[in-house]
Structures are given as structure tokens and as C-alpha cells.
Amino acid sequence: MNPITLPIAELKPALAGLGKVINPRATLPVLNHVKVERTAEGWIALTGTDLDRFVTMRLEHPAEGTPMAVLIPYVQLVQVTKNCGKDERIHIEPGCIKFALADNLGEQKVKHIPVEEFPVTPRIKTEAIALPPELRRSIHEAMECASVDATRYVLNGTFIDTSNPKANYIVGTDGKHLYSANSFTLPLKNSVIIPNHKFLGWKEFNADGEWQMKVDDKAVQLSSRRWRFVSKQIDGNYPNWRQTIPTPDDAKTHITLDPAKLETLIKLIQRMPCHDAEKFQTIGLECKEGQLLLLGKDNGNEPWTRVPVLDAQAQGPEALIFLSRRFFIKALDYGLNTISIIDQIAPLRFHNKGRQMIVMPLRPDGANTQPPATQQSAPVNMQPSRPVLSPAPPPKPIITNPTSEEPPPNGTPSPLEEALNLTLQIRDKYTEGFNLLRDLSTKLKAVHRDHKNSSREFNSVRSTLRSLQGLKL
């Protein structure tokens, strides 16, 4: 039987990609393994999985030999690869890994697990859909805006909205900011929620040629020239994201930024003083006399420092609004160079052609009234007289989901929402039990400590009595 030969130069990046889904500490032993197989056509592929996601990498060239498949522990394969040079090769056989050792072949034994125990990779039989670079870019940008909160599972993915057959949308949101892009038309019958995963942002996968997508009722597949990612779809109905988009005609103040100067503006924002860096990272935008000013301060008791943005044009009524600089920087990094403002409490809209980001504003802290009309802008190294800013009511989240404490608007939770509520209750019970066990452990340690102290005192008294008994009166 011809062994399966794996070049180290290809194996190392393959293991890095497979490691995005393989959990070496998984309780199910087979999930700690890599499936190495050679097909009847000679193609060699490596597959890793966590049951919900499958990642497969095919080697560059086919090889001779009969079809075979072997399971190799991921950690063991990584260790052998680390000790080999990039021009070397290792050989996989059932039960062992062989590698160059001086002028001979070294060998490591591998614990046998039947290959039949490895989960079967879902096969999606629909036609592949090509994803051009612009569409792939929008998918990545939407993924970066999606929620990572496990209790908002339906928002943990990128939504491809096909409700309008002539203009599909790519959407991602976490309830605080929302991204959407259109001008796409994909041959999909139904909308799809692609689960976000760190593998999809991995540079090797993104540098491996054009993406293609396959979708059926249960799974979604994204593949490149040699890589394939298969995942279960996210079940559930995506919220009505369109109702959160401000009506463009309601915005009267518009800021246009020079596309060539966005990187410079990002660096300026990063240098602005920030009084709540650990929480909101608040920054202010003020439009005044056709000029854009950035507002920041080192702590809550200081006056706002105003810095003019030279390469910006402001049109419309004067406006003052606050937001997180993280979202501001993200929008600029996406090239969204137009900002539309309705008022101090309405969401901001960053946009450029078919792409947009909706951002919830923040409340300024401290003051009761608007800054004086005579307030002059100041450079970074100057302290202006302290302005007074009016507080804004707390804005509502862009998208809200029912929780265990808050029933849905119609008063009747769906089966999915009931199941989610039960999982939250189970989580709370486990947390309560863990806290009780921790308190019990603390008390037992105290008892043990008191017992040791009591034993020491008893031994000391007993020693003293013995000494007294030994004295002669």
C-alpha cells in the first residue's frame, strides 16, 4: 500500500486553516483528528470539523496510489510538522507517521480510530454561485458588524436578503450599528444567513482565488481554488432591518469627506483625547459654518477640545452629535465618506453609493444646554472655554430581540424564542449552582483552617501542662 505523502510546505498552512475549526480539547475524540484521504483520482485532501463546520484543503497536485483514508491526531501532526524542514515530506500510513530521520525514516505510532467514526461532510448538490470581489468585500464588512452575543444567535451571521429579486442586500448588525450593501443579484430562491466564523476572515483562504457559494435548505458552502468551508445555516427569521434605516430625505445636514484623506482622518481620530476609552470611546461631530469639528476630552470634568477637519465639507443646518469612535473609524475604513445627520438622537448614516452603515448616537455627559454660539474652534494644543452640552435621551437600539425578561411585541413567544428562554434559564441555574459550590468550598477551607489552628492551640496547651507536671515543688 502506497502511503499518503504530504509536503511540509503545503501541510503547514493546511494545519493552520484546519486549526480554525478543530478543538484539540474536544470531548469527542474523533473531533481531535484530521481526516487525510486520497481519492480514486489521486487527489489528497485534509479535513477538520467541530460537527457544525467542516474545513477541507486539497493539495496542489494529485499522487499515485489506491484510495485510502486515515485519521491522524491534529496535535501529533502539528508536532511532527514543526520538527521538519519546509522542503521535507512526511508519509501517512494506517497507524503511523513516517518522516526523515538522518539517512533513514523515523516513525511515530498513531492510536487507531476507525475512519467511519469521522463525521460525514455535507454535500450540497446545488449549482455553485460565483462571488465577485466586490460582493466578497461586502460579506466581510457585514461580518465585522454582526453580533457576537450568543443570546442573539440570529444576528451572529451575515444576512443575504433576496426579498427584492432585482436588488439583493448583504446585511450585518449587532443592534448598535448596521451595515448593508446592495447592487447584487444572486440566483437564490430564499434568503440566507451565513454563520460568521474566523476561518472566513483568514488571509490564506481569501488569497486562494475567487469564492464560490453553494446553498441548500440546511447548509452553506464557501469555497476557493483549494479550500472549502461548509457550515450549518443559522435557523430563524432575521429582524426587519429596513425599518431601522433613516429616511434619506429626513437628513438635512450632510458631511462630505475627501476619499483620499480618509486614512489621515482615521489617524486624527485615534489621536483625539478620549475620556471613556474603556467603555464608549465617545467622540463628537459638530457642523458649524460649513466646517466639521471633532470633539474630544481627556476626562469627564474637562471642557471639550475642538479640532477642525480641513478636508471636509458640511452642508445644511448646524448639528452636534456624539458616537463611538470605533464605529466612526470602521465606516471610514470601509470608504463611506458621506455622513448624513438628522438630529442629536437619530441614527447617523455613513454611505457611499450602494453601501451604508447606520450608527446609533451616544449621549454627551455633564451639561444641560447647548454650547454658546460664540464658541470658537481650537487647535489640539489649546484649551477652549468650557462649552455646555445638552443631554440627549438614551437612543433605542437599532434592532432588538426578545429575551427571557422581555416578551415579544405580540405577547406570544415562538417555539424558537421559548427554547432560547429555556437555555437562558438553564444557564442561570448552572451559574447559581456554581456560585453555591464556590461558597461551600470557601467555608470548608475556613473550617479546615480553624481546625488546624485549634489543633495547634491544643498541642501548645498540652505541652505546657506536661512541662508544669515535670516541675518539682
Side-chain angles (χ1 to χ4, degrees):
M1 178 182 294
N2 290 339
I4 299 177
T5 301
L6 303 176
I8 297 298
E10 293 187 73
L11 182 57
K12 282 188 175 181
L15 293 176
L18 297 177
K20 305 293 183 184
V21 296
I22 294 177
N23 180 7
R25 294 181 294 276
T27 55
L28 194 60
V30 73
L31 299 182
N32 304 328
H33 288 63
V34 176
K35 181 181 179 182
V36 184
E37 59 183 327
R38 182 172 56 212
T39 67
E41 294 79 16
W43 292 108
I44 298 172
L46 292 83
T47 302
T49 182
D50 62 0
L51 284 183
D52 290 331
R53 291 157 286 268
F54 295 78
V55 170
T56 300
M57 192 276 261
R58 175 180 57 80
L59 295 191
E60 195 72 59
H61 303 290
E64 295 182 356
T66 57
M68 65 180 293
V70 183
L71 297 184
I72 305 293
Y74 173 76
V75 173
Q76 191 172 354
L77 197 54
V78 169
Q79 189 61 45
V80 171
T81 303
K82 283 183 178 179
N83 296 325
C84 295
K86 64 179 182 179
D87 297 327
E88 297 184 38
R89 299 168 180 265
I90 64 173
H91 309 279
I92 305 297
E93 295 181 358
C96 73
I97 305 173
K98 294 184 177 181
F99 48 88
L101 186 62
D103 295 331
N104 299 311
L105 282 179
E107 183 177 304
Q108 272 196 19
K109 296 296 183 181
V110 174
K111 184 178 179 180
H112 176 69
I113 293 182
V115 72
E116 292 78 15
E117 294 186 11
F118 197 82
V120 177
T121 305
R123 298 296 180 185
I124 302 177
K125 298 180 180 180
T126 58
E127 292 293 326
I129 301 172
L131 302 180
E134 185 63 25
L135 177 55
R136 183 166 69 178
R137 172 192 175 186
S138 294
I139 291 175
H140 279 304
E141 292 174 347
M143 285 180 181
E144 293 173 356
C145 298
S147 176
V148 295
D149 185 352
T151 64
R152 311 184 76 181
Y153 180 60
V154 76
L155 299 183
N156 292 172
T158 298
F159 183 49
I160 302 181
D161 186 353
T162 62
S163 57
N164 183 351
K166 297 182 179 180
N168 300 164
Y169 281 82
I170 308 296
V171 182
T173 182
D174 63 355
K176 298 177 182 178
H177 69 317
L178 180 147
Y179 171 90
S180 73
N182 64 351
S183 301
F184 306 111
T185 303
L186 301 175
L188 292 172
K189 295 181 180 179
N190 301 308
S191 299
V192 180
I193 305 177
I194 303 175
N196 288 355
H197 194 271
K198 57 186 176 181
F199 176 81
L200 298 178
W202 185 46
K203 62 179 182 179
E204 294 286 343
F205 180 49
N206 286 274
D208 192 48
E210 185 181 72
W211 278 12
Q212 292 190 329
M213 180 174 67
K214 289 185 176 182
V215 178
D216 61 16
D217 294 337
K218 297 181 179 180
V220 58
Q221 172 182 305
L222 294 171
S223 58
S224 62
R225 188 173 62 91
R226 295 195 300 153
W227 288 90
R228 183 178 66 214
F229 174 83
V230 182
S231 175
K232 293 180 180 179
Q233 285 196 45
I234 293 180
D235 294 327
N237 296 321
Y238 204 82
N240 183 5
W241 61 273
R242 284 185 173 84
Q243 68 182 6
T244 68
I245 306 297
T247 303
D249 293 340
D250 291 343
K252 304 303 181 183
T253 303
H254 302 277
I255 303 168
T256 304
L257 306 172
D258 185 348
K261 302 295 180 64
L262 296 183
E263 185 175 349
T264 302
L265 179 55
I266 290 175
K267 293 180 180 179
L268 174 60
I269 296 170
Q270 292 171 337
R271 291 196 297 267
M272 288 288 295
C274 184
H275 66 285
D276 56 356
E278 300 299 325
K279 196 172 183 181
F280 299 114
Q281 300 184 24
T282 305
I283 192 169
L285 302 182
E286 184 176 24
C287 298
K288 194 170 185 179
E289 298 178 355
Q291 188 178 37
L292 171 64
L293 305 171
L294 300 183
L295 279 68
K297 56 183 176 179
D298 283 324
N299 61 65
N301 297 324
E302 291 185 354
W304 293 95
T305 297
R306 284 168 160 77
V307 179
V309 179
L310 301 180
D311 301 302
Q313 296 180 354
Q315 297 178 342
E318 294 185 356
L320 176 63
I321 195 166
F322 295 84
L323 73 157
S324 169
R325 67 187 66 200
R326 293 186 295 109
F327 299 152
F328 193 4
I329 291 173
K330 182 184 291 187
L332 298 180
D333 190 49
Y334 291 173
L336 307 179
N337 66 313
T338 302
I339 310 171
S340 297
I341 301 173
I342 299 175
D343 55 41
Q344 193 174 11
I345 63 174
L348 297 84
R349 179 172 175 256
F350 295 83
H351 53 100
N352 183 359
K353 298 180 179 178
R355 298 179 302 127
Q356 63 180 349
M357 182 187 294
I358 311 302
V359 178
M360 293 303 298
L362 297 176
R363 294 181 59 183
D365 47 36
N368 299 328
T369 60
Q370 291 288 349
T374 58
Q375 176 67 43
Q376 298 295 322
S377 63
V380 180
N381 59 355
M382 295 180 61
Q383 292 294 335
S385 59
R386 181 172 182 175
V388 185
L389 301 169
S390 63
K396 297 180 179 180
I398 289 180
I399 287 182
T400 58
N401 278 354
T403 64
S404 57
E405 296 83 10
E406 180 180 339
N410 59 12
T412 305
S414 68
L416 177 62
E417 292 163 348
E418 291 179 346
L420 178 60
N421 291 340
L422 287 175
T423 59
L424 294 174
Q425 294 175 20
I426 292 172
R427 180 196 63 186
D428 294 340
K429 293 295 184 183
Y430 271 111
T431 302
E432 181 181 357
F434 173 79
N435 291 335
L436 290 174
L437 286 173
R438 182 182 58 191
D439 294 341
L440 176 60
S441 174
T442 303
K443 293 183 182 299
L444 289 175
K445 288 179 180 179
V447 170
H448 179 66
R449 183 172 57 252
D450 294 342
H451 175 72
K452 290 176 65 177
N453 293 336
S454 298
S455 298
R456 291 194 192 99
E457 293 175 359
F458 176 77
N459 291 334
S460 176
V461 171
R462 184 172 60 181
S463 177
T464 302
L465 288 174
R466 286 179 178 177
S467 299
L468 292 174
Q469 290 174 356
L471 293 175
K472 293 182 179 180
L473 300 175

